[in-house]
Amino acid sequence: MNKKQRVALLGCGFIGEVHAVNLQAHPATELVSVTDTDSARAAAFAARFAAHAAPVSQVMNDDSIDMVLIASATPTHADLLVAAARAGKAIYCEKPIDLSLERARRVVAQVLLCNVPVTVGFNRRFDISHQQLKQQLRQGRVGPAELIQMVCRSSEMPPLAYLQASGGQMRDQAIHFFDLLRWLTDDEVTEVAAMGAALALPAISDFADVDTSTLLLRLQRGGLAQLDNARRTGYGYDERISVMGPLGMLESRSQQQQGVTCYQREQIQQPGLLPDWLSRVKATWYAQLDAFVRSLNGETVADLPGLEDGLQAQAIAEAAVISLAEHRFCPVEKVSL
């Protein structure tokens, strides 16, 4: 019989709530403890999810807690990751490991010494359409990837306060697609060129961020990729990936709302795209949690993102940030553990 993982959730914000719902729903996890810098919010959150509120130190010293899920603000990830690893906990950590690649590298080196299971929150790998795309690429259906086009366009701007702490579009939004690119192609990005602008919310240029960007990426085996990102559209959430090879093309498309297509006179009216990014990605958090829990119970699980994936995606993001600032192609550091 599989062991039921007793879990402490660190962070009671929006993503923390998503994870709390999933932890309650999963048959092999039990949410027993929550922490937050806002003690009142932690207490209310704990009452809602039948857990108890506790400080981080208590969580780390509680031998009955098997797993820690880090869903707190990005600047806290690194310290919590190290503390949980030293306490011998299994760890699910939201991306990125830290806003600084150099610090993230030092943190990973410390965590590896503790020999604990860790997964990094690249939940887009668990999108069913993207997984089918990956499976068919592995089967060689279109041959080796030669040209990859990726689109990530959110329907609405996040709050300004979120953007100020996010680390910027490359580290926050595009980083999911840097990971997807590596995962789908089983290849590494060697250089990147990025162009961006603050078109939807010009105020973010005050802290050197962009909300609209286009990137060109070169892969080690010769393939070329293009990624465009937008923080705001006027037509719904748009996420799609196409991969062309010598034998054809595969595409994981944007998804529509359910509804009827109407054909009338010379017009065709179809259901629009999903209204927001959460509608598309919500199920992927549960899927990654489930994969991690199954791995903790001894099952071999393919494609579970780990610490090296976290570092390498961030290395691409760092090169993209430099490219944005310096208007040039920038080489991508190969991070090795």
Side-chain angles (χ1 to χ4, degrees), residues 188-268:
E188 298 294 348
V189 177
T190 59
E191 62 178 331
V192 59
M195 180 182 296
L199 302 178
L201 186 61
I204 65 174
S205 61
D206 293 343
F207 45 93
D209 197 6
V210 299
D211 53 44
T212 310
S213 60
T214 299
L215 295 93
L216 301 176
L217 306 103
R218 186 185 301 276
L219 297 170
Q220 189 170 316
R221 293 200 294 267
L224 301 175
Q226 175 185 323
L227 166 63
D228 77 62
N229 306 278
R231 291 286 198 182
R232 180 266 292 133
T233 72
Y235 61 92
Y237 180 66
D238 191 357
E239 176 177 322
R240 46 197 152 98
I241 303 172
S242 67
V243 182
M244 189 190 80
L247 306 178
M249 185 184 79
L250 295 168
E251 183 179 21
S252 174
R253 293 183 174 183
S254 289
Q255 296 176 359
Q256 292 182 321
Q257 301 184 63
Q258 293 182 344
V260 173
T261 298
C262 177
Y263 296 80
Q264 196 169 52
R265 298 184 181 90
E266 68 278 8
Q267 294 185 335
I268 300 174

Side-chain angles (χ1 to χ4, degrees), residues 108-130:
V108 167
Q110 295 175 63
V111 172
L112 288 173
L113 294 174
C114 300
N115 196 31
V116 296
V118 182
T119 190
V120 177
F122 288 125
N123 53 300
R124 295 294 212 286
R125 291 189 184 197
F126 295 88
D127 180 283
I128 293 174
S129 295
H130 297 344

Side-chain angles (χ1 to χ4, degrees), residues 102-330:
E102 182 57 39
R103 187 176 183 217
R105 188 188 291 107
R106 293 197 304 270
V107 164
V108 167
Q110 295 175 63
V111 172
L112 288 173
L113 294 174
C114 300
N115 196 31
V116 296
V118 182
T119 190
V120 177
F122 288 125
N123 53 300
R124 295 294 212 286
R125 291 189 184 197
F126 295 88
D127 180 283
I128 293 174
S129 295
H130 297 344
Q131 289 197 327
Q132 291 175 356
L133 175 60
K134 170 71 171 180
Q135 181 181 20
Q136 293 189 38
L137 285 171
R138 280 178 169 164
Q139 293 168 349
R141 187 165 184 184
V142 298
E146 295 177 345
L147 186 64
I148 303 98
Q149 293 188 310
M150 301 181 292
V151 170
C152 179
R153 302 176 187 171
S154 295
S155 54
E156 295 182 0
M157 286 291 295
L160 182 61
Y162 172 87
L163 294 171
Q164 288 173 321
S166 71
Q169 191 178 48
M170 298 303 106
R171 299 184 184 97
D172 178 56
Q173 183 182 17
I175 194 169
H176 279 288
F177 288 79
F178 300 149
D179 178 70
L180 283 172
L181 179 60
R182 297 181 61 247
W183 171 66
L184 287 168
T185 63
D186 291 316
D187 204 353
E188 298 294 348
V189 177
T190 59
E191 62 178 331
V192 59
M195 180 182 296
L199 302 178
L201 186 61
I204 65 174
S205 61
D206 293 343
F207 45 93
D209 197 6
V210 299
D211 53 44
T212 310
S213 60
T214 299
L215 295 93
L216 301 176
L217 306 103
R218 186 185 301 276
L219 297 170
Q220 189 170 316
R221 293 200 294 267
L224 301 175
Q226 175 185 323
L227 166 63
D228 77 62
N229 306 278
R231 291 286 198 182
R232 180 266 292 133
T233 72
Y235 61 92
Y237 180 66
D238 191 357
E239 176 177 322
R240 46 197 152 98
I241 303 172
S242 67
V243 182
M244 189 190 80
L247 306 178
M249 185 184 79
L250 295 168
E251 183 179 21
S252 174
R253 293 183 174 183
S254 289
Q255 296 176 359
Q256 292 182 321
Q257 301 184 63
Q258 293 182 344
V260 173
T261 298
C262 177
Y263 296 80
Q264 196 169 52
R265 298 184 181 90
E266 68 278 8
Q267 294 185 335
I268 300 174
Q269 292 181 317
Q270 296 179 313
L273 297 181
L274 292 174
D276 52 48
W277 65 277
L278 185 61
S279 300
R280 169 118 191 209
V281 309
K282 189 174 182 179
T284 64
W285 278 298
Y286 184 91
Q288 182 171 358
L289 171 67
D290 177 66
F292 188 49
V293 170
R294 287 188 284 113
S295 74
L296 296 179
N297 283 320
E299 185 177 334
T300 300
V301 179
D303 302 324
L304 196 60
L307 291 168
E308 184 173 5
D309 297 307
L311 285 179
Q312 198 59 53
Q314 189 161 347
I316 301 169
E318 294 305 306
V321 169
I322 294 171
S323 177
L324 275 173
E326 300 182 3
H327 309 289
R328 64 179 177 89
F329 276 91
C330 187

